[in-house]
Amino acid sequence: MKQKQIVLLAALMTAGLVFAGCGGSDAATSAETGTSAVEELSSEEISAEADQAAADEVAALIDAIYVQERTEQTDEQCAAAKEAWDALTDAQKELVEGENADPDYFGRDTGDASLDDPRNADDIGENEILVVSFGTSFNDSRVTDIKSVEDALEEAYPDWSVRRAFTSQIIINHIQARDGEAIDNVEQTLERAVANGVKNLVVQPTHLMHGAEYDELIDTLAEYEDQFETVSVAEPLLGEVGDDATVINEDKEAVAVAVVAAAVEDAGYESLDAMAEDGVALVLMGHGTSHTAKVSYSQMATQMSELGYDNVFIGTVEGEPEETACETVMESVAEAGYTGVILRPFMVVAGDHANNDMAGEDADSWLSIFADSGLFETIDTQIAGLGRIEAVQDIYVEHTAAAIENAGVTVSSDAAGESASVLEDGVYTAEFNTDSSMFHVNEACDGKGTLTVENGEMTLHVSLVSKNIVNLYVGLAEDAEANEADWLQPTEDEVTYSDGTTETVYGFDIPVSSLDEEFDLALIGTKGVWYDHKVSVSDPEEAE
């Protein structure tokens, strides 16, 4: 590069001498400064060339760590890339452009990495829960969507050490280079587990389905299986795939209810029905896959329909399956008559796809495509992953419990804590726990109901969030129609919120046979459809 600059300068100086010899001294030299115009030009060019060279060096260093394989040089390469970036001027940073490099690699603010916990410590003990995620370089999303799931598992299983692994080395390198946070890949965590003498290993993938990532994880685990006494792999979020689009299961129903409830709440609506009446549709954008597990997206569409969520649509970035392609989904929303759209990721983590492919400013983002179509009056985005939803975290906790049980390991769990099954007669406050974020105690009641014990029989009174649930039935939905005499009838309860406002909602008196044990409680709403739910009552405290 220096040789090129010297040759260029020499050539320009020679040209200047030629001009001067032909009587061109006035043109080649400034009358005021005596400085050659050619010299000024070459200086600017040399400066620009030097800036680009420095930027290109950083781009090459970024491209070198934008790889899926970790090597002995990875740590050194990550440090070198960051050091070179920090040495650039602001103007030079804007020039960084490579095969995968751009100014956002180091320059984009994605939140405070110090709030995260890489969970890569030793001193694991005999029992380990390894939470395996694809990963994200968006710090805020990593904390809310991945760390939240890990925290929930740690709280539920205090006798187990919870550790983390990411399957994307590209993301691991990005975080390490930019923020100095070291996150283990799957092989590193397994080597660490072996070195720490772990006997019982339970692996909880945060993957959405049994796709390619899940298959690769299973293959890797098979190489280490004989180094542990027990290895058990929990189900991904949506559970078993099933053969076709009509196959749905409890996991898919629970996820559907949870994500819709969260979206409705974030949008400021009282219910999904209210959103539909306002002409607004919810479009959930998944990743998509060519793997046979892509039928899971079609199954989720079936599940939404089964739940009566007519204004909820499923799409995918990759457009696989075909009916989930952006343009296809957009046309379906418009044909259904909706004039407003809320875009929200159907992904465990709201990372790159949510921020860029869905809500980005580029012309090919879903936000831009929907806006440019001219079909909708309003288009909003919600950048929120599934992992931050408490009901989703509960599903992972349940899947992990099943994996522990399958491994035959007996350890304590906060989720199975013991409480007295019989209380003395009196009045108590107690937690009302449900499997759905759309079916819960009114926020004014802090998740609690009033438990009355009389002659050893327990009844819990709960105030719900509205009048949308009109009856309850202790048992399964399929049995409710034939036992109308046993339907629980609502009471009208007035609740007072923290801001002093009041509202009249429905409440119910629910018979409770025992504490801390789940039981079936079906509900029917204003649409006249019964739904199954699991509930439990826990943590009774004497009322003041």
Side-chain angles (χ1 to χ4, degrees), residues 335-493:
E335 288 174 1
Y338 297 104
T339 57
V341 175
I342 294 174
L343 300 173
R344 184 182 175 107
F346 187 61
M347 303 175 182
V348 175
V349 180
D352 181 69
H353 288 303
N355 285 273
N356 296 324
D357 295 316
M358 187 190 80
E361 297 178 355
D362 291 345
D364 59 350
S365 76
W366 283 43
L367 176 61
S368 297
I369 292 171
F370 271 73
D372 292 343
S373 72
L375 297 172
F376 308 100
E377 297 174 3
T378 62
I379 305 168
D380 296 312
T381 61
Q382 296 179 352
I383 303 178
L386 295 169
R388 69 189 64 187
I389 302 173
E390 187 175 348
V392 169
Q393 296 164 18
D394 291 342
I395 296 171
Y396 283 122
V397 169
E398 292 171 5
H399 287 182
T400 299
I404 292 174
E405 184 178 350
N406 290 339
V409 183
T410 303
V411 291
S412 66
S413 161
D414 277 1
E418 294 184 0
S419 296
S421 59
V422 179
L423 295 172
E424 293 182 1
D425 285 6
V427 179
Y428 304 79
T429 60
E431 297 281 349
F432 181 59
N433 313 296
T434 77
D435 59 2
S436 170
S437 56
M438 293 188 71
F439 173 36
H440 57 85
V441 174
N442 191 287
E443 64 182 77
C445 304
D446 196 27
K448 301 179 185 294
T450 300
L451 183 68
T452 301
V453 184
E454 188 174 350
N455 297 324
E457 294 187 358
M458 298 182 289
T459 303
L460 181 73
H461 183 84
V462 294
S463 300
L464 301 183
V465 298
S466 66
K467 292 185 175 182
N468 290 335
I469 295 174
V470 296
N471 290 109
L472 298 179
Y473 172 73
V474 180
L476 297 173
E478 62 184 5
D479 300 323
E481 289 289 354
N483 295 280
E484 186 173 353
D486 296 327
W487 293 1
L488 304 183
Q489 301 302 319
T491 60
E492 290 198 343
D493 299 354

Side-chain angles (χ1 to χ4, degrees), residues 3 54 61 70 96 146 171 198 234 261 300 304 322 357 379 412 438 444 461 468 475 481 504 519 523 531 536:
Q3 282 186 331
L61 291 170
R70 177 179 171 81
V96 173
I146 295 178
I171 287 174
V198 171
M300 285 306 300
M304 296 300 178
E322 293 181 2
D357 295 316
I379 305 168
S412 66
M438 293 188 71
H461 183 84
N468 290 335
E481 289 289 354
T504 300
F519 59 94
L523 64 82
Y531 296 107
S536 65

Side-chain angles (χ1 to χ4, degrees), residues 290-317:
S290 58
H291 192 279
T292 54
K294 67 183 179 182
V295 72
S296 299
Y297 293 107
S298 302
Q299 291 167 347
M300 285 306 300
T302 300
Q303 182 65 78
M304 296 300 178
S305 178
E306 290 285 323
L307 289 169
Y309 296 169
D310 297 332
N311 58 327
V312 179
F313 298 80
I314 304 292
T316 61
V317 178

Side-chain angles (χ1 to χ4, degrees), residues 108-257:
R108 184 168 186 170
D109 182 8
T110 66
D112 187 353
S114 69
L115 300 177
D116 190 29
D117 180 358
R119 298 184 186 274
N120 57 3
D122 291 314
D123 300 322
I124 300 172
E126 295 185 352
N127 302 312
E128 176 183 345
I129 297 173
L130 176 58
V131 184
V132 179
S133 305
F134 178 80
T136 180
S137 62
F138 283 76
N139 293 332
D140 285 345
S141 297
R142 192 164 66 256
V143 171
T144 56
D145 297 334
I146 295 178
K147 183 177 180 294
S148 293
V149 173
E150 297 165 344
D151 288 346
L153 290 168
E154 187 171 65
E155 182 179 355
Y157 302 103
D159 291 340
W160 291 71
S161 293
V162 176
R163 294 294 183 266
R164 168 193 290 178
F166 283 180
T167 59
S168 174
Q169 189 67 45
I170 291 173
I171 287 174
I172 292 172
N173 292 352
H174 190 172
I175 297 167
Q176 180 174 339
R178 184 189 62 199
D179 304 311
E181 178 178 324
I183 296 174
D184 287 346
N185 60 32
V186 176
E187 289 82 0
Q188 286 176 299
T189 53
L190 293 174
E191 292 290 347
R192 192 185 299 277
V194 171
N196 276 259
V198 171
K199 294 182 178 180
N200 304 302
L201 179 67
V202 168
V203 181
Q204 176 61 71
T206 64
H207 303 136
L208 201 65
M209 62 187 69
H210 285 270
E213 291 272 338
Y214 185 91
D215 292 344
E216 291 172 9
L217 172 61
I218 297 300
D219 291 341
T220 302
L221 289 172
E223 300 175 12
Y224 289 83
E225 191 171 11
D226 61 353
Q227 301 194 53
F228 304 97
E229 291 184 8
T230 65
V231 177
S232 183
V233 185
E235 287 287 337
L237 185 59
L238 298 181
E240 291 291 340
V241 176
D243 296 329
D244 57 54
T246 64
V247 179
I248 53 181
N249 56 30
E250 291 183 358
D251 290 327
K252 293 181 177 66
E253 179 183 4
V255 172
V257 171

Side-chain angles (χ1 to χ4, degrees), residues 264-340:
V264 168
E265 182 177 353
D266 289 351
Y269 283 96
E270 182 181 346
S271 65
L272 186 64
D273 289 341
M275 184 187 295
E277 291 171 4
D278 210 18
V280 177
L282 173 63
V283 175
L284 299 173
M285 186 195 78
H287 184 276
T289 177
S290 58
H291 192 279
T292 54
K294 67 183 179 182
V295 72
S296 299
Y297 293 107
S298 302
Q299 291 167 347
M300 285 306 300
T302 300
Q303 182 65 78
M304 296 300 178
S305 178
E306 290 285 323
L307 289 169
Y309 296 169
D310 297 332
N311 58 327
V312 179
F313 298 80
I314 304 292
T316 61
V317 178
E318 300 294 333
E320 293 186 273
E322 293 181 2
E323 67 268 20
T324 61
C326 180
E327 289 77 5
T328 303
V329 173
M330 184 173 65
E331 291 172 3
S332 297
V333 175
E335 288 174 1
Y338 297 104
T339 57

